[in-house]
Amino acid sequence: MLALLALVIVLSFGVGPLRIPPGDVMHVIAHQLGLADAGTLTQRDISVVWNLRVPRALLAVIVGASLAMAGAGLQGLFGNPLADPGIVGVTHGAALGAVAAIVLGATVFGAWTIPVAAFAGGAVTTTLIYLLARPDRGGGTATLLLVGIAIAAGCSAAIGFFTYIARSDELQSLVFWQMGSLAMADWADLLAAMPAFAIGAIALTRLATPLDMLALGERQAQHIGLDVRRTRALLVAVCALLVGSAVAFAGVVGFVGLVVPHFVRLLAGPGHRWLLPLSGATGGLLVVLADTAARSLDPPSEIPLGLFSAALGAPFFLWLVLRGRKRGGA
């Protein structure tokens, strides 16, 4: 999966309104790393590949991996295969935090203000969803979905209010948050996103064994020595960090955290030791492919990234619901 991801990333560097052969792409990268002379490369090709496409593709990997790993973590936390950052409202909460920071002009944390606000919004909504749809108190799929719909609706209403009071120069940014896009990605965004992703991914991977224990049920997990309350708090914080950082730099990109963990379970089984890292690699691959299509299918315009993820995820989500209903009826 990592080899396939690397291949797709390199190929995406050359795809777009301006087509650049793979050989020239590798030449540009080698030149920028000081491994080769410019030779016949034009400044246009160097700028397009290195300044636009390389940071955008790498940020797409981080966004996809963050959402997919957070989806796998939330499914383990809730004990529910339909848990997804978008469906249960976590993404909307993170987007609300980012939108509020933009409209209110908050600058408390400097360049980190919007990512911190997105993380705070994701953490609050994740905690609220867990408290209202507690799996250890009989909260099943229906409860989780209803709670998620209610919270997502509330966050959407708040986002609509901020959109209403926003200035004209802020409206374009708000549309970006609500539809999802990587069009503004640059090296500064990539460098800002990397620490949050690294911390969240490493922390979540270290929680693989506790997630396997939670699959037995919270009471059984506690009986075999797991500190359930501490584990829940850590999972909420880590998943909120991953979702918040993804939303802060790409806006709302739904269904990645639902589709990818289900696909990976077919390959590697339900054990989180393999599920989490494989979900990260597969999520990165999916978002790189979607973003490459978004900027290539209708040049010079770009199709919002969130539309691709919704077009993929909505039928898959419906299939999961119908399959679960058939099994329940059987």
Side-chain angles (χ1 to χ4, degrees), residues 33 66-67 88 92 156 181 215 261 269 281 309 314-315 318:
L33 295 177
S66 297
L67 293 174
V88 301
H92 292 80
S156 297
S181 175
S309 63
L318 182 61

Side-chain angles (χ1 to χ4, degrees), residues 231-246:
T231 301
R232 286 200 309 253
L234 288 174
L235 284 170
V236 166
V238 171
C239 291
L241 176 63
L242 289 171
V243 175
S245 62

Side-chain angles (χ1 to χ4, degrees), residues 94-104 114 117 158-159 162-163 173-174 177-178:
L96 175 58
V99 167
I102 292 173
V103 175
L104 297 177
I114 293 177
I159 291 173
F162 282 116
T163 303
S173 295
L174 298 188
W177 292 112
Q178 297 176 61

Side-chain angles (χ1 to χ4, degrees), residues 46-87:
I46 294 175
S47 179
V48 168
V49 171
W50 188 255
N51 295 328
L52 298 179
R53 294 180 182 173
V54 171
R56 179 168 180 164
L58 296 180
L59 187 59
V61 173
I62 289 178
V63 169
S66 297
L67 293 174
M69 294 182 72
L74 288 174
Q75 289 170 16
L77 172 65
F78 289 104
N80 195 312
L82 294 182
D84 169 78
I87 294 173

Side-chain angles (χ1 to χ4, degrees), residues 275-313:
L275 176 63
L276 291 171
L278 273 174
S279 293
T282 308
L285 174 64
L286 177 63
V287 175
V288 170
L289 289 173
D291 183 60
T292 303
R295 59 181 169 82
S296 303
L297 293 181
D298 187 27
S301 300
E302 288 197 12
I303 302 173
L305 178 60
L307 297 185
F308 277 92
S309 63
L312 172 67

Side-chain angles (χ1 to χ4, degrees), residues 164-218:
Y164 174 73
I165 66 173
R167 300 190 307 270
S168 58
D169 60 325
E170 296 171 340
L171 290 177
Q172 185 176 359
S173 295
L174 298 188
V175 171
F176 155 78
W177 292 112
Q178 297 176 61
M179 301 189 72
S181 175
L182 289 167
M184 305 302 293
D186 55 21
W187 284 105
D189 290 339
L190 177 64
L191 294 176
M194 286 179 63
F197 169 69
I199 294 171
I202 292 172
L204 188 58
T205 303
R206 291 177 65 87
L207 291 170
T209 299
L211 279 168
D212 289 338
M213 296 168 71
L214 283 176
L216 303 173
E218 292 195 355

Side-chain angles (χ1 to χ4, degrees), residues 212-273:
D212 289 338
M213 296 168 71
L214 283 176
L216 303 173
E218 292 195 355
R219 184 171 300 177
Q220 290 81 356
Q222 192 165 8
H223 286 167
I224 59 178
L226 180 67
D227 188 340
V228 174
R229 180 174 298 180
R230 178 176 176 272
T231 301
R232 286 200 309 253
L234 288 174
L235 284 170
V236 166
V238 171
C239 291
L241 176 63
L242 289 171
V243 175
S245 62
V247 170
F249 296 103
V252 177
V253 181
F255 292 106
V256 175
L258 175 70
V259 174
V260 172
H262 279 275
F263 172 74
V264 171
R265 286 189 186 94
L266 298 177
L267 299 178
H272 288 85
R273 179 171 174 266

